[in-house]
Amino acid sequence: MMKKISSALISVYHKEGLAGIVSKLVGTGVTIYSTGGTLGYLEELGASPRSIESLTSYPSILGGRVKTLHPKVFGGILGRRNNEGDMKEFDEYGIPAIDLVIVDLYPFEETLKQTSEEQQIIEKIDIGGISLIRAAAKNFADVLIVPSSKQYADLLGLLEEKNGFSTLEDRKKFAAMAFDISSGYDSAIFNYFNREGRMMSFKKSISEAMPLRYGENPHQQAVFYGNPDEVFEQLHGKQLSYNNLGDLDAAIALIAEFDEPAFAILKHSNACGLASRPALIDAWKDALAGDPVSAFGGVLITNREIDGETAREIDKLFFEVILAPGYEKIALDLLKSRKNRIILLKKSYGFPEKQFKTILNGVVEQDKDLKTETPDDMKVVTEVVPDIREAEDLLFANKIVKHTKSNAIVLVKNKQLLAGGTGQTSRVDALKQAILKCGTFGFDLKGAVMASDAFFPFSDSVEIAFQAGITSVIQPGGSVRDQESIDFCNSVKMSMVFTGFRHFKH
C-alpha cells in the first residue's frame, strides 16, 4: 500500500519548520497548491506553488474567510482512487488528486490567553483548515494529512525515510493525530461558548502527555496529561512520579494561601510541617520541627527564594522534591549534591477555577475551594474574644485545615503547625491524633488554637481540646448542637469563632 506523493496542498498559520519539507517535496517533483501568505512564503523558499485561485477560478473572499472551500479542492482530497465513479468525475470536472495536505490551524486557544475581545477570538476559529483536516483524515486510504506544526518533524522524517512515499500505516497514524487535533480544537471552542456552564456537557481535551514510570503503585501504569513545564521548570533530579505530582498539586495550592514568608513540608498531600517567620531559615526550622519523622522523603515548598544558609539546613534532610520561586546560586549548587533530588523552579501560572475527577462511570466537576477566610468572616460566638495573637493563629490554622484530608483538625501556635489530625473517620479521633503527635514532638499546647474543617456535632472535641491546653477554636458552625460547644467554651473561658464555611477535602 505504498503511495507516491505527487501533489500537496499547504495552507498553514505557523511556517517555522516547513523549509526542509518544502525542499524535499520540490526535490521529488511534487505539485504544490497553496494559499495567501503561505504561497508567498513557499515562493521565498524557492518553490513554484500554484495558487488555489488558479485551481478553483475563484478568489479568496469575505476577508479571507473563504479560500479553500470549493469542490475542486475537497473533491481532490476526498476522491477515492480505487472508485471508478470518483475517477470519472475527476476527469469530467477537472479535479486534480491531492495526496498530501499540510494544515496548521488558527491559534484559537493562544488567542484566548491574549485577549477577551470577542471579535478577535471569533476570527481565530478556523473553518477551512478544520474542514481540510477532517476530509484528508477521512480519506486516509489515499491522502496523508499533517494537521499541525507539531507534526512537521514527523513528516520530514517520513519523506526522508521513504523518499516521497507513504504506507497505509503511515496515513492511518497521521489521520489519528488529525482527529486528535480537530477534536481538541472543537472542544476549546465549545468551552469558550459554554464558559458560563449553561449547557451540561463535559468536554476536556489535552493533547500533551508525559508517560510516568508507574502510577500510585508500581503495578499501575500512568500518564500525566498536561504540560508541567508551564507550572515549573525542573532544574535537577529524576523524573517526577505520579505521587510527586499529586503532592505538588496540593503543595502549590497550600502555599498560595500565604503572603508572608512560609515553608511547608507535605506527605501524601497533607502538611506535616508549616511555619511562617520573617527569616526563611527560621520558617524552615519550625516547619521541620512540626514532624521531623514524617518530613523524611517529603515534598518541600516555599514562597521565597532559597538562600545558602537555609539550603545548608535543608540539605541535612532526605526529601523527594523541593519547589521554590528562586534559588541563590550557592543554594542551588548545594541542593544539587544528590543526583535524584528533584529541584523545581516555580513559575507564575493561572490555574483553572474548576476541578474534576472520575467517579463510577462518569466525571464530577466542581468549583475549586477558593474561599480563604478573613477577619471579617470570623463571628465570635463566645463570651471571650480571641486576642490578636490568637486571631492571627486561628486564620493561619484555618488555611492549613482547608488543605488537609477530612476529617481534619489542625493545631497551631505562633504561626507554626504543631500537628494535624488527618483523614480520620471521626473528628474526635482526628483531634486525639493531633494531640498525640504534639506530645511525641514535645510541644506545649497551652495557648495553642484549634481549627476544624467542619462543625463539631457534639461538645466532646472542645472539651478534649481544653484539657490539652487549647484556648481558642475556629470552625464553620452549623450543627444543631452548636450551643453545647458554645456553652462549654463559655464555662471554661475559651474563645470560639464560626466562619460559616466548611472545607471538606476527600
Side-chain angles (χ1 to χ4, degrees), residues 219-231:
H219 63 277
Q220 296 171 265
Q221 293 184 348
V223 178
F224 174 73
Y225 292 99
N227 182 7
D229 292 339
E230 294 178 343
V231 181

Side-chain angles (χ1 to χ4, degrees), residues 301-313:
I301 189 166
T302 182
N303 55 6
R304 294 294 188 273
E305 181 183 67
I306 295 179
D307 56 84
E309 184 183 16
T310 304
R312 278 189 287 275
E313 291 298 317

Side-chain angles (χ1 to χ4, degrees), residues 24 32 88 99 108 150 192 217 219 299 340 421 494 499:
K24 191 66 181 176
I32 300 175
K88 282 183 178 180
D99 305 317
F108 179 79
K150 294 177 182 177
Y192 169 72
N217 300 291
H219 63 277
V299 169
N340 287 330
M494 282 179 73
T499 65

Side-chain angles (χ1 to χ4, degrees), residues 105 109-110 113 130 133 147-151 154 174-188 191 203-211 223-228 230 356:
L105 299 172
E109 290 181 273
E110 288 81 354
K113 296 174 183 177
I130 203 78
I133 286 173
S148 166
S149 59
K150 294 177 182 177
Q151 278 79 48
D154 292 333
F174 276 85
M177 291 189 286
F179 286 118
D180 178 35
I181 293 291
S182 66
S183 63
Y185 197 77
D186 286 340
S187 292
N191 287 325
K203 289 181 173 64
K204 302 291 181 187
S205 179
I206 304 173
S207 297
E208 294 174 289
M210 181 176 75
V223 178
F224 174 73
Y225 292 99
N227 182 7
E230 294 178 343
F356 60 90

Side-chain angles (χ1 to χ4, degrees), residues 98-126:
I98 297 175
D99 305 317
L100 168 65
V101 176
I102 304 175
V103 180
D104 186 54
L105 299 172
Y106 292 161
F108 179 79
E109 290 181 273
E110 288 81 354
T111 303
L112 287 180
K113 296 174 183 177
Q114 295 166 3
T115 182
S116 60
E117 204 280 309
E118 185 170 79
Q119 193 54 42
Q120 290 186 44
I121 293 169
I122 297 304
E123 288 305 318
K124 286 298 185 287
I125 297 177
D126 206 311

Side-chain angles (χ1 to χ4, degrees), residues 51-199:
S51 70
I52 284 295
E53 289 85 351
S54 69
L55 171 63
T56 64
S57 300
Y58 225 92
S60 173
I61 62 173
L62 307 181
R65 282 188 167 196
V66 180
K67 294 191 287 284
T68 58
L69 295 169
H70 192 280
K72 282 195 173 182
V73 176
F74 279 85
I77 295 169
L78 286 165
R80 293 158 291 187
R81 312 311 195 251
N82 63 354
N83 183 292
E84 185 177 344
D86 287 2
M87 293 300 96
K88 282 183 178 180
E89 290 184 344
F90 267 34
D91 293 338
E92 181 179 355
Y93 298 110
I95 299 173
I98 297 175
D99 305 317
L100 168 65
V101 176
I102 304 175
V103 180
D104 186 54
L105 299 172
Y106 292 161
F108 179 79
E109 290 181 273
E110 288 81 354
T111 303
L112 287 180
K113 296 174 183 177
Q114 295 166 3
T115 182
S116 60
E117 204 280 309
E118 185 170 79
Q119 193 54 42
Q120 290 186 44
I121 293 169
I122 297 304
E123 288 305 318
K124 286 298 185 287
I125 297 177
D126 206 311
I127 303 301
I130 203 78
S131 302
L132 290 168
I133 286 173
R134 291 179 63 84
K138 177 177 180 175
N139 199 23
F140 65 85
D142 297 303
V143 181
L144 180 65
I145 174 63
V146 178
S148 166
S149 59
K150 294 177 182 177
Q151 278 79 48
Y152 289 174
D154 292 333
L155 173 61
L156 181 58
L158 175 65
L159 293 173
E160 291 175 341
E161 179 187 350
K162 297 178 179 173
N163 198 32
F165 285 78
S166 70
T167 66
L168 181 62
E169 183 180 354
D170 295 327
R171 297 190 295 276
K172 271 190 173 182
K173 173 187 171 184
F174 276 85
M177 291 189 286
F179 286 118
D180 178 35
I181 293 291
S182 66
S183 63
Y185 197 77
D186 286 340
S187 292
I189 295 169
F190 167 78
N191 287 325
Y192 169 72
F193 280 97
N194 195 44
R195 57 194 181 278
E196 295 179 3
R198 292 194 180 99
M199 292 181 65

Side-chain angles (χ1 to χ4, degrees), residues 346-385:
K346 186 179 181 300
K347 298 179 181 179
S348 177
Y349 182 78
F351 289 94
E353 294 186 356
K354 298 277 189 179
Q355 59 186 173
F356 60 90
K357 65 179 179 180
T358 58
I359 288 182
L360 298 176
N361 61 340
V363 171
V364 291
E365 183 181 51
Q366 67 170 356
D367 298 333
K368 282 187 177 178
D369 185 358
L370 299 176
K371 174 61 182 178
T372 299
E373 282 74 10
T374 68
D376 291 339
D377 295 309
M378 296 167 62
K379 177 186 175 184
V380 180
V381 294
T382 51
E383 295 168 357
V384 176
V385 176

